[in-house]
Amino acid sequence: MTTVLENIARQVIARTSFSAIAIERAEDAIVDTIGCMIAGMNDAAPRSVAAAFRDEINEMGASLVFTGGRASRSIAALINGTAAHCLDFDDNFHPARAHASAVLVPALLSVATSSDEFSGHMMVRAYLAGLEAQASIGFGVIPSHYNRGWHGTSTIGCVGAAAGVAVLLGLAEAKIANAMSLATSMASGPKGQFGTGAKPFHAGIAARNAIEAALLARSGLGGRLDILERSQGFLDLFGGNEATGWADLTWNEEHIIETRGLVTKLHPCCASTHRAIDAALDLQKKYGFSLDDIERIDTKVGRSAFDNLPYDDPTDEMQARFSMHYCLAVALSGGGLSLRDFTPQAATRQSFRAHMAKISITSYSAEEERGVERLPHQVHISLMDGRRFSTERLHANGSIVAPLNGGQKLAKLEDCLRLAGHSRALITHSELKAICSEKSVRTVCDDTLQQFFCLSRI
């Protein structure tokens, strides 16, 4: 009987052509993630990882490192994955409950910049393969796996990205399956680390492990191909009490990036805050009140979102990203959020503390969520003058239901460049997109990205 991993490997290697919309969304995701990596390259988390491996970073290494220099594919992916995720500005992928691109792009880019043999087109195809693999693995365990406390970015993300790297390396079906099998033995990461530097490190670990699993499979190492579904396998150990398994797993003619898509973040903070932020800003735009006019804000979110947001009085920028109280108060103060709202100085501003105390957060019950994939996040705002407003959001801005427009994408890239200390004119969205062309990824990256790294050395 064919195993789940064999079926997934067969699917990702058989899909060799993609629609224009699938390619465009994949290219946008790659560019968006590179922007996040540029913004994150001076953050404490990737700098600490780079410092730990200082002796392995130099100008002669194989792959680009976003904190400066070059290193082996594994070390580059470890640092770059941490940089991609450290500001929580990278995209979300609901079928895997993962930051899919923060694992896939650093892993694929680290391989692709190690040699002239990899074109941007090859990287885009591998990205779409890895994304489909993540969705397929997530099918059997989401949302139970995530609700149980596993960080899908570092578990499902690792296994799915291993398939993407294996496709980029040109591996055959059997070795793609073995790469994913080996990656299940590397997959880990508890959500209890949210609000610390370990959380973005999860993405780095997953990117590194995806590369190493694919390289090990290429060299002949293998694991059990039924490791997802067998006793003491992934489902058994990681699935959670309500995981359904893969008996009903099928694939559409359309790619998952077309049917479900990614959520490109408009706000640089935990996605669990986004629907409430967007709903509150909708109300503010409609009724014209200010933060000072508000007497109370009550929010209701999903159980996993509630668990992701434990900081009602954050003490640093990492905790602030996981605080509904901080994110909502700041968003309503300025009409939105930017990366400058999540610096150490900004996160401890006393001017917002009184407003944060007005905000409450509750969650749906297990019974309310049972059998429902997704419930809207609700916002109820009471003003000092007695007026009451309520609304809800099922999807955040940046989803395929409410995609970012060209201006928003450009503003996000400029925000990323600004945080990294660069002029907004230093590089354009179209220049970054050239990484996805038919040319060598290594050559294009050396031409377009090297200017950032020469300014950023450990």
Side-chain angles (χ1 to χ4, degrees):
M1 183 176 178
T2 307
T3 67
V4 177
L5 286 180
E6 288 173 308
N7 283 333
I8 295 173
R10 185 168 303 162
Q11 169 63 21
V12 299
I13 204 169
R15 198 190 287 274
T16 57
S17 62
F18 303 92
S19 70
I21 189 65
I23 292 171
E24 180 182 9
R25 287 179 180 173
E27 291 178 349
D28 280 347
I30 291 169
V31 170
D32 181 73
T33 308
I34 291 173
C36 293
M37 292 160 73
I38 292 170
M41 65 187 185
N42 291 321
D43 185 79
R47 302 295 289 186
S48 294
V49 178
F53 296 97
R54 183 191 304 270
D55 293 343
E56 299 183 44
I57 301 172
N58 53 61
E59 296 302 324
M60 304 304 294
S63 303
L64 285 176
V65 177
F66 273 62
T67 53
R70 305 183 79 93
S72 69
R73 290 167 293 195
S74 294
I75 296 301
L78 183 68
I79 298 168
N80 295 343
T82 306
H85 192 39
C86 64
L87 303 177
D88 239 287
F89 213 3
D90 51 300
D91 62 39
N92 287 96
F93 184 52
H94 291 311
R97 290 283 180 96
H99 293 266
S101 298
V103 180
L104 273 167
V105 174
L108 296 173
L109 201 61
S110 295
V111 172
T113 58
S114 69
S115 168
D116 287 326
E117 67 182 285
F118 301 106
S119 71
H121 289 172
M122 293 168 66
M123 188 168 70
V124 170
R125 186 207 167 190
Y127 175 91
L128 289 165
L131 193 70
E132 187 162 43
Q134 285 195 34
S136 301
I137 295 157
F139 179 91
V141 296
I142 292 299
S144 184
H145 171 77
Y146 190 81
N147 290 340
R148 181 69 183 83
W150 291 108
H151 188 192
T153 301
S154 53
T155 53
I156 295 170
C158 170
V159 182
V165 173
V167 168
L168 183 61
L169 292 172
L171 302 192
E173 180 183 313
K175 291 194 173 182
I176 295 173
N178 268 304
M180 288 188 285
S181 175
L182 295 171
T184 63
S185 292
M186 303 172 172
S188 186
K191 284 167 51 183
Q193 295 280 27
F194 284 14
T196 74
K199 198 234 185 190
F201 183 56
H202 286 174
I205 293 170
R208 178 197 66 190
N209 288 346
I211 289 174
E212 294 183 352
L215 292 174
L216 288 165
R218 184 173 69 173
S219 71
L221 189 66
R224 293 195 64 121
L225 298 183
D226 62 349
I227 195 60
L228 292 186
E229 66 268 33
R230 77 182 308 272
S231 173
Q232 297 185 329
F234 192 82
L235 177 65
D236 190 9
L237 299 176
F238 286 72
N241 295 332
E242 299 172 8
T244 58
W246 294 271
D248 297 325
L249 175 63
T250 58
W251 292 276
N252 297 324
E253 183 177 342
E254 294 177 300
H255 191 276
I256 194 73
I257 205 170
E258 300 173 76
T259 58
R260 295 291 298 277
L262 298 152
V263 183
T264 306
K265 283 192 173 184
L266 183 60
H267 313 298
C269 51
C270 179
S272 296
T273 66
H274 285 212
R275 286 186 276 165
I277 291 170
D278 291 337
L281 290 174
D282 289 342
L283 290 174
Q284 187 180 55
K285 183 177 180 180
K286 183 175 181 178
Y287 297 106
F289 55 83
S290 71
L291 181 61
D292 290 330
D293 296 327
I294 296 172
E295 179 182 50
R296 183 173 179 81
I297 304 176
D298 297 301
T299 65
K300 186 175 183 178
V301 302
R303 284 185 298 150
S304 63
F306 181 86
D307 291 340
N308 290 345
L309 305 171
Y311 302 103
D312 58 359
D313 187 22
T315 59
D316 58 39
E317 72 276 18
M318 286 299 294
Q319 291 184 7
R321 295 183 182 106
F322 297 87
S323 170
M324 179 71 83
H325 303 72
Y326 178 84
C327 293
L328 204 50
V330 175
L332 287 169
S333 173
L337 292 158
S338 73
L339 287 167
R340 63 179 174 269
D341 292 313
F342 295 94
T343 63
Q345 297 75 24
T348 54
R349 288 173 289 183
Q350 292 302 308
S351 56
F352 288 104
R353 292 313 192 221
H355 297 294
M356 289 161 56
K358 304 173 184 177
I359 299 170
S360 74
I361 177 172
T362 59
S363 72
Y364 287 100
S365 67
E367 189 57 37
E368 286 175 304
E369 288 192 346
R370 186 165 288 114
V372 182
E373 180 183 1
R374 193 170 180 78
L375 289 167
H377 287 188
Q378 301 174 355
V379 174
H380 308 279
I381 297 180
S382 302
L383 301 187
M384 299 290 190
D385 63 11
R387 288 182 293 166
R388 306 284 187 268
F389 306 121
S390 296
T391 192
E392 62 185 26
R393 275 289 196 118
L394 185 60
H395 299 283
N397 289 329
S399 66
I400 62 171
V401 176
L404 302 189
N405 59 39
Q408 290 170 319
K409 292 176 186 177
L410 179 59
K412 178 174 180 177
L413 177 58
E414 291 178 349
D415 196 19
C416 290
L417 293 174
R418 190 182 305 113
L419 187 73
H422 302 305
S423 163
R424 63 188 234 173
L426 186 60
I427 193 167
T428 66
H429 194 277
S430 60
E431 286 174 327
L432 279 181
K433 210 162 189 176
I435 291 170
C436 303
S437 70
E438 62 185 10
K439 298 178 182 178
S440 157
V441 173
R442 181 186 177 101
T443 299
V444 176
C445 285
D446 283 349
D447 290 343
T448 61
L449 295 181
Q450 196 62 43
Q451 56 194 318
F452 296 107
F453 310 139
C454 68
L455 301 176
S456 179
R457 291 283 186 262
I458 47 175

